[in-house]
Amino acid sequence: MPRKKKNILWSPQPKQVLALERPEFEILYGGARGGGKTDAGIMWMAFSYDENGNPVYQNPMYRGLVIRLNAKDLGDWIERAKFRYRTTGAEFTGVPTQIRFPSGAIIRTGHLNDEDAYNQYLGHEYQQMNIEELTQIPSEVSYTKLISSCRSTVPELRPQVFCTTNPGNVGHDWVKKRWRIPDVVTDNVIITPTEFGNRAFIHATVYDNEILDKNDPNYRKQLEAIPDENLRRAWLMGEWGNPIIPGSIYKDEIDKAERNGQIGLYRHNPAYPVHTYWDIGVGDATAIGFFQFIKGTWFWIDYLEDS
């Protein structure tokens, strides 16, 4: 993927090949900035192959969906897709943009700005979904609601979800847990078995994108010069251990508490009452913290998040 021809329009780099050839239903291509994730997703949406060995954009029954949290952030994806799809006869029309191919195949784009945005895809059938910047989705519940529309009644079209992301942002924790990503990734591919089939995580670093490094070597140098160690390792090496999350209010305090040994395993003590603190959550999950006040010290013993 894609197959070699005399006139090569795009040739994937080795890490992109690993991502594009995965057979699992859920694929996450994640890690550093500049790892080639967006181009891989663009090519996957049109040029992955059906069971008959034909590019999916040639199948009149093919329906794909490209999703990002904010519609305006899809502008770059669409402009790059126009270039990558230039030989297919694709037409880009409407708001939000629909990509229509001469065969009748359609790729739609959409956003997840509000709760209604998740619901609008219920009942649809998309054989392939490309979710850009997955960690911008705040909860696993919202994600699973979205991918429930990824299915296929077309025998030659296999349903798959292809996600891309960087470490950090509001969905960092649930994404890391769902794909069992370690703090420091040493394997190129991590397979997570589930009762519904396997999930695959493909790790990307900025050093995997040799084309970017050749054309713009200063980009890598800029990342290497980031003063914050956590941000530098996340954006440069795609590490997931201690991310920078936009909007985090207490990150510095939590880092300090960890250095001081205040973060550990504190079990429920039945001799003391349990107090709860609730964040009701409007449009996302409700969060409940469980605390005990023991001998002048507050202990945070448990946490529940649900929707």
Side-chain angles (χ1 to χ4, degrees):
M1 158 64 195
R3 295 175 177 178
K4 291 184 178 180
K5 298 179 180 180
K6 291 183 179 179
N7 297 318
I8 299 177
L9 299 176
W10 182 77
S11 181
Q13 300 181 78
K15 195 62 71 69
Q16 291 171 324
V17 172
L18 283 179
L20 294 169
E21 292 183 343
R22 299 310 311 175
E24 291 80 10
F25 173 63
E26 290 180 74
I27 304 161
L28 175 61
Y29 187 16
R33 295 193 170 212
K37 302 182 296 297
T38 298
D39 269 352
I42 289 171
M43 299 303 289
W44 180 83
M45 283 299 295
F47 292 97
S48 53
Y49 288 90
D50 65 19
E51 298 299 325
N52 296 325
N54 301 312
V56 292
Y57 80 88
Q58 296 179 359
N59 191 310
M61 301 300 293
Y62 171 64
R63 297 295 181 268
L65 179 65
V66 180
I67 285 289
R68 190 156 179 167
L69 182 67
N70 298 309
K72 63 180 179 64
D73 293 336
L74 275 172
D76 177 65
W77 194 100
I78 291 167
E79 290 305 312
R80 290 163 74 169
K82 287 179 180 178
F83 178 74
R84 296 298 183 197
Y85 298 169
R86 64 190 183 278
T87 63
T88 66
E91 294 185 357
F92 291 70
T93 61
V95 179
T97 301
Q98 289 194 14
I99 307 170
R100 294 180 174 269
F101 298 91
S103 66
I106 300 173
I107 297 174
R108 296 188 173 97
T109 66
H111 67 84
L112 300 172
N113 276 337
D114 50 54
E115 189 65 25
D116 289 340
Y118 291 92
N119 294 328
Q120 69 176 306
Y121 304 109
L122 297 178
H124 294 196
E125 177 180 312
Y126 298 102
Q127 293 91 24
Q128 293 188 179
M129 283 188 182
N130 177 201
I131 305 176
E132 280 271 290
E133 294 301 338
L134 182 62
T135 52
Q136 290 183 352
I137 296 179
S139 72
E140 190 171 13
V141 172
S142 298
Y143 167 74
T144 54
K145 184 186 296 185
L146 177 63
I147 68 170
S148 67
S149 295
C150 185
R151 55 181 183 270
S152 179
T153 56
V154 184
E156 65 270 23
L157 293 174
R158 176 179 56 187
Q160 279 187 304
V161 179
F162 189 98
C163 305
T164 63
T165 199
N166 302 118
N169 227 306
V170 295
H172 176 95
D173 287 342
W174 75 259
V175 171
K176 181 181 179 185
K177 181 179 179 181
R178 187 175 182 89
W179 273 271
R180 300 182 185 176
I181 305 171
D183 290 350
V184 178
V185 184
T186 57
D187 298 318
N188 288 330
V189 180
I190 297 174
I191 304 299
T192 302
T194 78
E195 58 182 314
F196 307 108
N198 295 340
R199 300 185 187 110
F201 169 73
I202 297 86
H203 181 235
T205 75
V206 73
Y207 301 103
D208 295 322
N209 195 338
E210 296 178 1
I211 295 176
L212 175 64
D213 208 35
K214 179 180 179 181
N215 295 334
D216 187 6
N218 285 330
Y219 182 77
R220 172 176 52 82
K221 294 177 182 178
Q222 289 171 0
L223 296 183
E224 291 173 338
I226 292 174
D228 186 289
E229 181 180 0
N230 295 326
L231 185 62
R232 182 175 68 252
R233 296 180 72 87
W235 284 9
L236 188 69
M237 299 303 298
E239 293 190 1
W240 289 72
N242 192 11
I244 302 296
I245 300 177
S248 293
I249 299 174
Y250 298 113
K251 182 182 185 304
D252 292 341
E253 288 82 354
I254 292 174
D255 288 347
K256 181 179 179 181
E258 189 167 32
R259 290 193 300 269
N260 292 340
Q262 294 172 264
I263 297 177
L265 182 61
Y266 299 103
R267 300 186 182 278
H268 168 244
N269 187 331
Y272 293 85
V274 175
H275 305 266
T276 59
Y277 177 87
W278 294 58
D279 181 349
I280 299 299
V282 177
D284 59 9
T286 293
I288 309 172
F290 298 80
F291 300 85
Q292 289 189 300
F293 189 67
I294 303 174
K295 298 181 180 179
T297 301
W298 283 101
F299 292 87
W300 185 357
I301 62 170
D302 207 349
Y303 173 79
L304 175 65
E305 181 177 314
D306 210 337
S307 179

